[in-house]
């Protein structure tokens, strides 16, 4: 029997596309129930992606119940759950919409805060940024993240924008779609990376605001949001 071949995928949201391609093969019976899963190295070569992307895709299938692990090997589950292809698209579309709102508001807020913040407000923003670190638990990070961004909003010198942003941030923190990704056990490694990268990003934003550089502050805020969204859409299941 000829080995199963998979076409390379685009490197945008790689792990998600690899996962969906594999899921489609399982649904179509190309990868039959109970069959041994293709080796990681084989999948890397056929999809044209790194091992990290393949591992994340396979772990996503394990989480969905379509793949099981026996010893050191993976197999297609004999009793497949009813999981439609791209079943989490709605959830991730909602998250993307929330990030669009954050991009519109937070980038402007960071720029204005760099221009208008008082000395006391700059000191508070710098102090909050210094509390971030890769070892923070998710609950601690989310609380500090909220306080940091609200401090920026208060410092932008526009009460209307501050109130608008507070409501947007409330929507993010109240979002079940947002929380379900962050709280999922299989996303723990990706969440740790988000916390580590976001900790660095918050310091960059704070440095730009305290030094009064609106251009750098806006760019740092935009980069930060882009990185977090990329992790949540591409690497979490």
């Amino acid at each position: 029997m000829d080995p199963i071949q998979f076409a390379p995928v685009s490197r945008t949201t790689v792990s998600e596309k690899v996962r969906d391609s594999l899921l489609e093969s399982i649904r179509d019976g190309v990868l039959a129930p109970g069959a041994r899963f293709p080796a990681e190295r084989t999948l890397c070569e056929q999809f044209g992606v790194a091992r990290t992307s393949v591992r994340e895709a396979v772990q996503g299938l394990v989480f969905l119940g379509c793949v099981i692990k026996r010893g050191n090997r993976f197999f297609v589950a004999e009793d497949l759950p009813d999981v439609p292809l791209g079943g989490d698209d709605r959830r991730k579309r909602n998250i993307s919409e929330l990030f669009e709102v954050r991009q519109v508001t937070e980038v402007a807020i960071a720029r204005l805060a760099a221009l208008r913040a008082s000395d006391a407000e700059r000191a508070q923003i710098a102090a909050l940024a210094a509390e971030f670190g890769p070892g923070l638990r998710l609950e601690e990070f989310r609380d500090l993240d909220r306080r940091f961004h609200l401090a920026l909003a208060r410092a932008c010198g526009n009460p209307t924008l501050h109130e608008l942003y507070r409501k947007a941030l409330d929507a993010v923190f109240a979002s079940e779609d947002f929380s379900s990704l962050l709280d999922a056990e299989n996303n723990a490694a990706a969440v740790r990376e988000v916390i580590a990268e976001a900790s660095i990003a918050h310091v960059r934003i704070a440095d730009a605001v305290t030094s009064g550089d609106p251009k750098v502050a806006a760019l740092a805020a935009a980069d930060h949001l882009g990185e977090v969204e990329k992790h949540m859409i591409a690497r979490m299941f």
Side-chain angles (χ1 to χ4, degrees):
M1 179 179 176
D2 293 332
I4 300 168
Q5 296 292 318
F6 296 98
V9 299
S10 167
R11 294 189 184 277
T12 303
T13 64
V14 177
S15 60
E16 188 175 25
K17 290 187 176 181
V18 171
R19 181 206 60 185
D20 284 351
S21 181
L22 291 168
L23 181 56
E24 185 174 15
S25 294
I26 292 172
R27 291 299 187 203
D28 291 344
V30 178
L31 291 170
R36 181 175 165 181
F37 214 66
E40 182 181 278
R41 183 173 182 178
T42 300
L43 293 175
C44 290
E45 292 173 353
Q46 293 183 5
F47 282 114
V49 300
R51 288 192 175 188
T52 300
S53 297
V54 168
R55 288 172 184 169
E56 291 172 355
V58 174
Q59 286 302 317
L61 294 174
V62 171
F63 175 70
L64 292 174
C66 296
V67 172
I68 60 175
K69 189 174 184 180
R70 296 175 187 156
N72 294 323
R73 302 190 184 282
F74 291 98
F75 295 83
V76 179
E78 295 185 7
D79 296 318
L80 295 174
D82 185 17
V83 180
L85 183 64
D88 61 355
D89 283 353
R90 176 202 57 78
R91 181 173 59 168
K92 292 191 175 181
R93 277 198 302 271
N94 290 344
I95 289 173
S96 290
E97 289 176 2
L98 289 173
F99 271 98
E100 281 185 356
V101 174
R102 292 189 69 179
Q103 283 279 4
V104 169
T105 54
E106 288 186 25
V107 173
I109 283 170
R111 179 176 61 82
L112 291 173
L115 290 169
R116 300 174 178 174
S118 67
D119 290 343
E121 288 169 336
R122 295 179 201 272
Q124 181 190 23
I125 290 166
L128 288 170
E131 293 184 35
F132 284 97
L136 286 174
R137 292 183 293 109
L138 177 59
E139 297 80 6
E140 295 171 330
F141 172 79
R142 296 195 74 186
D143 175 67
L144 182 58
D145 184 56
R146 181 184 178 86
R147 289 189 286 125
F148 176 81
H149 286 290
L150 284 176
L152 282 173
R154 283 192 296 271
C156 77
N158 185 324
T160 302
L161 181 55
H162 174 213
E163 180 61 20
L164 176 66
Y165 175 69
R166 186 186 63 77
K167 292 179 180 179
L169 202 60
D170 285 344
V172 171
F173 277 80
S175 168
E176 292 184 5
D177 293 330
F178 200 89
S179 295
S180 67
L181 286 181
L182 293 176
D183 295 336
E185 185 177 348
N186 62 298
N187 290 332
V191 169
R192 285 194 297 271
E193 290 187 16
V194 166
I195 291 174
E197 293 180 2
S199 295
I200 297 171
H202 285 103
V203 171
R204 289 174 178 162
I205 295 170
D207 286 347
V209 170
T210 55
S211 65
D213 192 327
K215 182 177 180 180
V216 173
L219 288 173
D223 288 345
H224 164 52
L225 291 169
E227 283 297 311
V228 175
E229 181 181 10
K230 181 177 71 176
H231 273 77
M232 295 195 71
I233 300 300
R235 298 197 57 198
M236 297 187 188
F237 303 101

